Amino acid sequence: MPFTLLQAGTSLQTMNTSGTLTTLTLPTGVVIDSTKILRTAVFGRYVVCVNSPTRPLSVDPDGVVRVLCPNPPRTRLVLSATGSGALTGSYLAKQTFLVLDGDGNIIAESELGPLTTAASLTAQIMAVTGIDLSSDTITASRLYRTVASGSAYFRWVDSDGNTQTTLQDDLADASLELLTAPTLGTPPNDLTLLAEYRGRLWGVSALEIDTIRVGEAGKMYAWPATSGYIVGKPGGDDRGITGLIPRKEFLLVGRRDAMFQMTGDAPANFRPVKLKQNVGIEAPDSVVVYKDVAWWLGTDGVYKWDDTGIENVAAGKVQSWFQTDTYFNRSRLRFAVGQIHPLQHKYRILLSNAGDTTLNRFIEYDWVEQKWWGPHTIDAFTPSFAGIIHDSNNLDLAVICSSAGFVYKDQATRTDDASTGIDFDVDTKFHDGNTPGITKTWLQPTLISKIQAAGTLTITPKVGGLDASAGTAISADMTKGREVLRRLGTGRFAQLRLRHTTAGQDVGLYGIEIPFFEDGVR
């Protein structure tokens, strides 16, 4: 059954399509840092988790949580000759730790342990002592050894469980598997970014912020230490790589001021190639890829990347939202969270209001009509994250998570949560009658609106110069459809603030007509 993986404080939980939550059991010694955001990638049947766990984790379809890769053996095996057997020559061996599923398939295999001291045998059996025991939950230990006087390692023997420290075996060299030991490696414990692309996991470590690391093909647990690629100018800033964008045929690696495309088809020829300068990723959690179209927040606006290229969809429209201090707290743009609303064809971003530090505002871009909506506020709760889950019909459903531990979905009812009113708060432009230098007498406005069953719209005028103070509020009856209001007053400009906060009541405005006459000049 499909589920959504959630971080709830210091716990991981799954939520099924009916909304039932199940708290998962973490591996021994692993904790979740509630101050960090969980970042994940789907790899085959598993969800790989990084950033907030103290070690990378995998979650299987049954909700079993394991470390992504066991720590390697710490001590070297001790080899010696004993009895009569089939082995003659000088031999070396190494050990790994294995995690297997019920069918014997490898879920994880640790890096190879330390190299042994060579043992010389003459028609004897190889005796092994000092087999290390893992502090992680494992299925078995796997021993690899060379052929006589060889240097390549081949799979030799498995020791089931995590208790056996000795064994003896004299499997002939000719009976060893033909394939040498696989390329292994331990993923960094401090991975902060993660993506799956073309059957490999790609990630960035907190200690190597300018380097993208890549795992082995088809092995989520194998991260060779040599498979790292510097992206951009090392030490160019204190954030390094700020986001990963995997599309079907491309992987972009972003810094704040540049975008790089990973090219090549194997570790030997992987390399980052600069694709864009002065375009970057400001907020890693703003990155969303939906139907092979990527969206994210840069330093100067929201970007879209599809087969036609990279475009700033805020340019010429709402770029001031991100380049001034009027609307949002720009020092916290890096913490913005992105979300796709599939039914409304919108890209939504959670942001912090100017002067605030919580994600208490959101804006939306309608990519069909190419229009921006917002800024909006949520008064019923403080958002903490946003994403898409699947409902009982396996349909995409946009949800927002709260800092109090609840998951909310959009609703048709005009309330935040059950009873909190949605604050409709709109300022019109400063009207000047095309004569900004002439004082005017602003007469009785006529409000035309959709007829509602109930409701009062509060209209607060500002009349005078551009620094005019708010005047006495006017109450407009939303049940009339058309209403003539009182005179506004005298001044060069007139602006109206329209506000409605009553829960469960709609507001539909068609227009406002404000007649005036010019007072004249001498």
Side-chain angles (χ1 to χ4, degrees), residues 386-431:
I388 292 178
I389 65 173
H390 295 93
D391 64 13
S392 56
N393 296 313
N394 204 32
L395 300 175
D396 293 339
L397 183 66
V399 297
I400 295 179
C401 303
S402 81
S403 59
F406 295 93
V407 178
Y408 293 83
K409 65 179 182 178
D410 287 15
Q411 61 179 2
T413 305
R414 300 300 191 259
T415 58
D416 274 355
D417 200 7
S419 58
T420 302
I422 297 174
D423 192 348
F424 177 88
D425 191 355
V426 176
D427 289 333
T428 70
K429 70 174 186 178
F430 278 94
H431 298 280

Side-chain angles (χ1 to χ4, degrees), residues 357-385:
T357 57
T358 58
L359 296 174
N360 53 10
R361 295 289 186 272
F362 71 93
I363 55 177
E364 298 170 308
Y365 177 70
D366 185 322
W367 66 76
V368 175
E369 296 189 3
Q370 298 183 4
K371 292 181 179 179
W372 283 94
W373 299 95
H376 306 294
T377 183
I378 298 176
D379 292 322
F381 60 91
T382 300
S384 58
F385 208 75

Side-chain angles (χ1 to χ4, degrees), residues 8-340:
T10 58
S11 300
L12 292 182
Q13 297 180 332
T14 58
M15 183 171 65
N16 64 18
T17 56
S18 300
T20 302
L21 290 171
T22 301
T23 299
L24 304 181
T25 301
L26 299 176
T28 302
V30 177
V31 297
I32 303 296
D33 186 342
S34 62
T35 66
K36 296 181 179 179
I37 290 177
L38 177 70
R39 295 188 177 128
T40 63
V42 176
F43 194 93
R45 300 170 62 246
Y46 297 86
V47 180
V48 181
C49 309
V50 301
N51 197 44
S52 58
T54 50
R55 290 177 65 183
L57 303 174
S58 70
V59 183
D60 72 12
D62 297 319
V64 178
V65 185
R66 302 177 177 90
V67 293
L68 181 61
C69 181
N71 289 322
R74 297 153 295 180
T75 58
R76 65 177 62 207
L77 303 172
V78 178
L79 307 181
S80 60
T82 186
S84 298
L87 299 179
T88 297
S90 177
Y91 295 91
L92 298 168
K94 290 184 179 182
Q95 175 191 0
T96 67
F97 293 129
L98 285 176
V99 179
L100 307 176
D101 65 16
D103 297 322
N105 300 310
I106 297 177
I107 297 175
E109 183 173 9
S110 75
E111 174 64 288
L112 292 160
L115 177 65
T116 62
T117 300
S120 296
L121 286 74
T122 303
Q124 293 175 294
I125 299 170
M126 182 95 75
V128 184
T129 60
I131 297 175
D132 195 15
L133 303 181
S134 177
S135 58
D136 299 314
T137 300
I138 62 169
T139 308
S141 286
R142 175 162 291 178
L143 273 57
Y144 295 86
R145 72 165 171 83
T146 62
V147 297
S149 302
S151 58
Y153 287 83
F154 301 88
R155 178 180 170 182
W156 177 25
V157 64
D158 288 353
S159 173
D160 292 338
N162 192 29
T163 58
Q164 186 175 348
T165 59
T166 64
L167 62 81
Q168 296 181 7
D169 187 85
D170 67 342
L171 183 67
D173 291 353
S175 298
L176 293 173
E177 289 190 353
L178 296 178
L179 297 177
T180 57
T183 302
L184 299 165
T186 306
N189 284 339
D190 58 355
L191 286 172
T192 59
L193 300 176
L194 187 70
E196 186 278 333
Y197 175 65
R198 290 190 173 177
R200 298 175 185 267
L201 287 177
W202 303 69
V204 179
S205 161
L207 295 180
E208 297 178 292
I209 61 174
D210 300 308
T211 300
I212 184 166
R213 294 281 306 277
V214 57
E216 280 293 289
K219 297 183 177 73
M220 62 183 178
Y221 52 86
W223 292 64
T226 56
S227 295
Y229 308 89
I230 295 176
V231 179
K233 182 180 179 181
D237 57 39
D238 63 353
R239 294 188 61 192
I241 298 171
T242 53
L244 306 178
I245 308 179
R247 289 181 58 209
K248 183 178 180 181
E249 299 295 337
F250 308 95
L251 174 64
L252 285 198
V253 182
R255 298 178 71 104
R256 293 187 71 240
D257 59 352
M259 304 292 291
F260 298 80
Q261 180 180 332
M262 294 302 300
T263 63
D265 56 11
N269 57 28
F270 284 144
R271 67 187 183 98
V273 176
K274 184 179 289 187
L275 188 67
K276 285 282 187 179
Q277 184 67 44
N278 300 322
V279 173
I281 299 174
E282 176 66 19
D285 296 306
S286 71
V287 175
V288 180
V289 180
Y290 184 73
K291 294 187 175 180
D292 206 35
V293 178
W295 305 84
W296 72 92
L297 177 63
T299 57
D300 59 347
V302 170
Y303 285 84
K304 172 188 175 183
W305 175 39
D306 58 15
D307 292 339
T308 65
I310 296 175
E311 174 191 5
N312 185 344
V313 296
K317 296 180 180 179
V318 297
Q319 210 159 3
S320 62
W321 284 357
F322 312 102
Q323 294 188 304
T324 70
D325 295 317
T326 303
Y327 303 92
F328 303 112
N329 185 340
R330 288 194 298 155
S331 68
R332 295 196 55 87
L333 289 182
R334 66 169 65 185
F335 303 109
V337 173
Q339 174 193 41
I340 288 294

